[in-house]
Structure formats: C-alpha cells, structure tokens
Amino acid sequence: MILSFDTSCDDTSVAVLKNDHSYSNIVSSQNEIHKKFGGIMPEIAARNHIQMIYSITEEAIKKADVTMEMIDYVAVTTGPGLMPSLLVGVSFAKSLAYAYNKPIIAVNHIEGHIFAPFINRALIFPFVALIVSGGHTHLFFVKGVGNYELLGKTVDDAAGEAFDKVARVLNIGYPGGPVIDSLSKQGNPYRFNFPKGLSKKNTLNFSFSGIKTAVNNLVKKMQSLSKTDVIDIAASFQRSVIDVLCEKTEKACTEKGVKNLVLSGGVSANSLLRESFKIMAEKNGFTLFMPEKEFSTDNALMVAKAASLREADATYDYAKIEADPRFKIY
Ligand code: KG4
Ligand code: ZN
C-alpha cells in the first residue's frame, strides 16, 4: 500500500494505491489562483501547496479508508518541476515517512506520466511513449522500468505551453488546453495554415515556438477578432500541433518496429488528440494505451503507480531524498 505525493507544478495531489483496482486520488487545482497571471507563479504555487497539503493528505487517507499504520511505502515526486513547489511535497512526505517510520521512494514525474495509462491495466513492454504536458514534449522508446531511450523532444516550447500561450494571445482563459479543446469543436481547423515546426525535417524533435509566433502575428495583423475568428484560429492551431504530434509518433513506432504506443501527460486529455491517435493506431495495427482523462493531467496516483514498479528503491535514508528540478530519466 503506497501513500504518494505530487507537488511538481501547480496542483497539490495526494493518493493512496491499495491495489490496481482500489485507490484514492485527490487533486486540488490552483487554476483559479494562477488564472489572473495567465501562467504559473512558482512562489504562489508553493505557498498554496503548503496551505493545502495537510488537508488533502487527510482526505486521501480517509477516502481510501486506511490508517497511516497500514501504509507500506511513502512515494513522492522529487523532480522535474518547479523547485519551490517540489520542496513542499518532498519535505512533507519525508517528515511523514520519518514520523511513521516508513520507507520512502523518490519518483520522477515524467516516469509517473509514462505509467499513468497502466494504473488499472497490465503492463506491456516495449512501447513508444509520447509524453505531452505543460513542461514536456518527449518521445521515448521504453524497454522496461528505468530503461528509456529518448527518441525526440521539443527544442523550445512544450506542446501544453503552446496551448497556454496561444490561449493568452486569444484572451480565452487559462489553462489554455481545455479551453482550446472545447472551443475548437465549433471551429474551422482548415481556415488558417500555421507552421508545423520541424515536420519536414528528418528528426523526431519538435518545435512549437514558431506556431505560437505565427498566431501572435496573425492576431496583430487582423487587429479586431470576431468570435468566429477566435474559434477558427484555435481550431487551426490545435490541428497543426496534433498533426505534428501524430506524424512524429507514427514515425517513431515505425522506425523502432514497435506495436505498443503510449500517449500521456496533460495534453493527452485533448479530445481531438485522443481521437487522432486512435485513428493512427488503428491504421498501423498499434495497440494504444492512454490514461483515463483524470490521470492525464498531474495526479499523485501515477506517482504511486511508478513507485510500485520501483520498490527496490525504497529507503529509510531520508537525507538521500532531495528535490531535483532537473531530475532526468534518460
Ligand atoms: O501534465 P500536466 O498536468 O502538467 C505538467 O506536467 O506540465 O499538463 C498541463 C498541461 C497544460 O499546459 C494544459 O493546458 C494542458 O496540459 N492540457 C491540455 C488539455 N488539458 C490540459 N491541452 C490540450 N487539451 C486539453 N484538453
Ligand atoms: Zn505533469
């Protein structure tokens, strides 16, 4: 039984994994707080983690109907992420583990996303994984737990970051991903042709800063935007990003000769992206694994899942567990 924490970014999350079909997973979103800034303020995120973490932990334990005595391991995201935010979760988890004499497991946040689709499913290796979030756009060849080959990554903005920045330019709200996702359903995705960064180049790397600039320039040029203009820009932007994500991932699977495909991270909650990946997987005979939408965005249950695959890393040497904003898994 694992009690897990994720405070890598702006969401405070605590989960209890009892077994693959029984768990609690509490996520306290800070979206309302960061909305007015149009992005995450690290210092403010950390302060809110401090305010929330105790009550969220009580809630997760209560909902799972367990006591601290019943917990076998404590697990916590130690990186990558925002240092002030990570420090809150790491300090809290370490204190709790020490007080109750429980071993602790340090988890990499990206590894959490990689295994999120397997929260209530059997694990299959090898697979190609596209992790698309607010901070990451990474393509991995996953041969086993801890055995990751980086095939490609963004050379500038992450895909989720591009959604958030474009939403800010269009003045439609924060976080941008869910707003663009729902607005685009009524828009014309072929009205504007935005650049598809690095799509013509023979590389599995991505680039999303060009499309963000193109949207910015178009908005300046058009001066005043009607509601239809905004919706069409959102839909056209979303189509271009999804086309590139699909094309590169398909190429990665073909090059590696891999039939299992994982799509995960916050942006994997996007309905068109999920649909496009389903179609691409079906066309190629790939088996596609995606997290339930609630496990696409940041949550502590994926941290518990990753920890459950790393029991050998559990330690009572609490001094060894440190926040590391640049914690790499490849
Ligand atoms: O994984 P996540 O919760 O946090 C990070 O690790 O970064 O991802 C958050 C990102 C944000 O950029 C948000 O706009 C994006 O995921 N996102 C979406 C959707 N839901 C969240 N992007 C596109 N469509 C969505 N439905
Ligand atoms: Zn994340």
Side-chain angles (χ1 to χ4, degrees):
M1 210 176 286
I2 301 177
L3 171 67
S4 59
F5 298 87
D6 187 280
T7 62
S8 58
C9 199
D10 60 336
D11 293 329
T12 318
S13 185
V14 183
V16 175
L17 180 65
K18 295 166 85 174
N19 59 55
D20 266 0
H21 303 283
S22 178
Y23 49 76
S24 67
N25 182 48
I26 313 292
V27 182
S28 167
S29 164
Q30 294 185 15
N31 286 346
E32 282 306 313
I33 295 161
H34 298 279
K35 217 174 201 163
K36 53 181 171 291
F37 307 109
I40 298 161
M41 298 284 120
E43 187 86 18
I44 295 174
R47 284 176 201 213
N48 281 285
H49 285 314
I50 291 173
Q51 279 185 359
M52 295 308 295
I53 199 157
Y54 185 83
S55 59
I56 300 285
T57 304
E58 272 193 323
E59 199 182 333
I61 290 175
K62 199 169 163 208
K63 211 159 177 199
D65 197 20
V66 297
T67 60
M68 268 312 290
E69 286 68 31
M70 292 159 74
I71 298 293
D72 298 306
Y73 304 99
V74 171
V76 61
T77 297
T78 56
L82 304 169
M83 189 54 154
S85 292
L86 288 168
L87 280 172
V88 178
V90 171
S91 309
F92 190 84
K94 279 167 72 167
S95 312
L96 204 62
Y98 178 69
Y100 284 91
N101 196 29
K102 305 288 179 187
I104 187 164
I105 302 173
V107 173
N108 183 295
H109 183 79
I110 305 298
E111 200 170 58
H113 279 305
I114 290 177
F115 294 112
F118 302 102
I119 278 171
N120 33 31
R121 255 195 234 118
L123 207 53
I124 284 183
F125 292 114
F127 55 83
V128 161
L130 175 69
I131 308 302
V132 262
S133 72
H136 300 89
T137 305
H138 283 59
L139 255 177
F140 294 107
F141 178 41
V142 179
K143 288 168 259 187
V145 179
N147 193 343
Y148 314 116
E149 181 187 337
L150 181 71
L151 302 175
K153 66 179 178 120
T154 180
V155 297
D156 40 55
D157 293 350
E161 196 180 350
F163 272 88
D164 296 335
K165 286 180 176 168
V166 163
R168 194 156 60 195
V169 168
L170 295 175
N171 205 11
I172 50 177
Y174 171 85
V179 193
I180 291 180
D181 187 355
S182 72
L183 270 188
S184 297
K185 292 192 172 109
Q186 309 142 44
N188 173 1
Y190 298 99
R191 176 157 159 214
F192 301 101
N193 266 319
F194 291 124
K196 295 184 189 174
L198 301 180
S199 77
K200 297 266 181 319
K201 298 268 187 322
N202 189 23
T203 168
L204 292 173
N205 284 339
F206 302 90
S207 168
F208 296 108
S209 71
I211 188 165
K212 174 197 68 187
T213 309
V215 172
N216 212 349
N217 291 343
L218 177 72
V219 168
K220 277 193 192 135
K221 205 171 101 195
M222 290 173 79
Q223 288 177 349
S224 82
L225 300 180
S226 68
K227 193 157 181 248
T228 313
D229 293 337
V230 170
I231 293 172
D232 288 348
I233 293 173
S236 303
F237 158 79
Q238 180 178 266
R239 172 183 63 89
S240 300
V241 170
I242 290 175
D243 281 355
V244 177
L245 293 175
C246 253
E247 283 161 22
K248 300 245 174 192
T249 308
E250 186 177 21
K251 193 162 178 262
C253 290
T254 313
E255 278 179 12
K256 284 287 163 191
V258 172
K259 290 280 179 198
N260 297 315
L261 171 59
V262 157
L263 171 67
S264 190
V267 183
S268 75
N270 185 277
S271 36
L272 185 68
L273 180 62
R274 293 174 85 92
E275 208 41 54
S276 306
F277 262 60
K278 271 186 206 157
I279 294 168
M280 179 263 280
E282 211 162 285
K283 188 183 93 191
N284 289 283
F286 301 155
T287 308
L288 175 63
F289 299 90
M290 297 186 285
E292 308 276 333
K293 276 196 185 180
E294 64 176 308
F295 304 136
S296 286
T297 44
D298 289 352
N299 67 88
L301 194 60
M302 69 184 196
V303 174
K305 178 72 200 183
S308 73
L309 306 169
R310 285 194 169 273
E311 283 181 17
D313 291 355
T315 178
Y316 286 94
D317 192 353
Y318 304 114
K320 278 207 181 118
I321 307 293
E322 276 186 286
D324 175 6
R326 274 172 281 281
F327 186 179
K328 281 210 160 96
I329 51 164
Y330 52 87

